[in-house]
Amino acid sequence: MPFQRNDLKFFAGNSNLPLAQKVAEYLGLRLGDCQVSRFSDGEINVRINETVRGHDVFVLQSFSPPVNENIMELLVMVDAFKRASANSIAVVIPYFGYARQDRKAKGRDPITAKLVANIITVAGATRVLTIDLHAEQIQGFFDIPLDNLYSFPVFIEEITRRYSNFKKDIAVVSPDVGAVRRASKLAEKLQVPLAILDKRRPADNIAEVVNIIGDVKGKIALMFDDIIDTGGTMIQGAQALKRAGAVRILACATHGVLSGNAVEKIQNSEIDEVYITDTVHQKNLPSKFHVVSIANLLGEAIMRIRKNLSVSILFK
């Protein structure tokens, strides 16, 4: 009997099936046959309807709302693949939830990002692929290989296409000091100046802009961050930028979580356009929102991992 070839198989949970389908198309594969359902009491039931024995499995699941449900779905799927004798199990997590709890900011705080890293590893994952971790040190929480992709190439392509005639008028704005490194990469690639918003957080999910470092007068201000959750940071930033003389305000963020009434608040704010990727699946967004797909970047990274090629070269 001939030896079975070690194939790549690509599966997905329920969190972001449209993105998973696009990635599968880029890879030239079909989505693996896997049913993720619920028992009558709400427990997760996973059934893999094809062999994965000896194969390299990639499974895509975003930690978008409902976060805890989606995390548990991934863990049960990884356990199923491990018990089905998959050769390797790489988890593709476009949006890594709980990443904002990456340190003890005050006494008796949990470090939930480390907890999530532990349970993914214990479940049986052999590699993690994610996009724009909220804090890059989270890579050190894993004892398995982790590839943290950057979203700025897809935003550069989109902004350059839409604002090719006004590129010299753009200024990239970091919405806080913690996002400077991320925003400076985008500014460097676009070859435009960088400004920084000096922000304070008096409480969770509340932001206040105190000062603007840099000149945005007469500029198209492009705020760039990793997450838009409640929208407070971007809305406060837009108000400050408008007062400072910015003529147009764009907001870019990799992960459009948009919890609560964030869409309505942004729609009524000083922000003219919002650019997000499809790491978090959103439906029926207003025309102010533009969704750019991260599928090709994910697909290329998966192929490079599979072929043992460099992933970092995608961002040089």
Side-chain angles (χ1 to χ4, degrees), residues 285-297:
L285 289 174
S287 58
K288 182 180 283 191
F289 291 79
H290 305 280
V291 180
V292 294
S293 183
I294 207 83
N296 290 1
L297 182 62

Side-chain angles (χ1 to χ4, degrees), residues 1-5:
M1 177 181 290
F3 285 107
Q4 185 178 18
R5 193 177 62 186

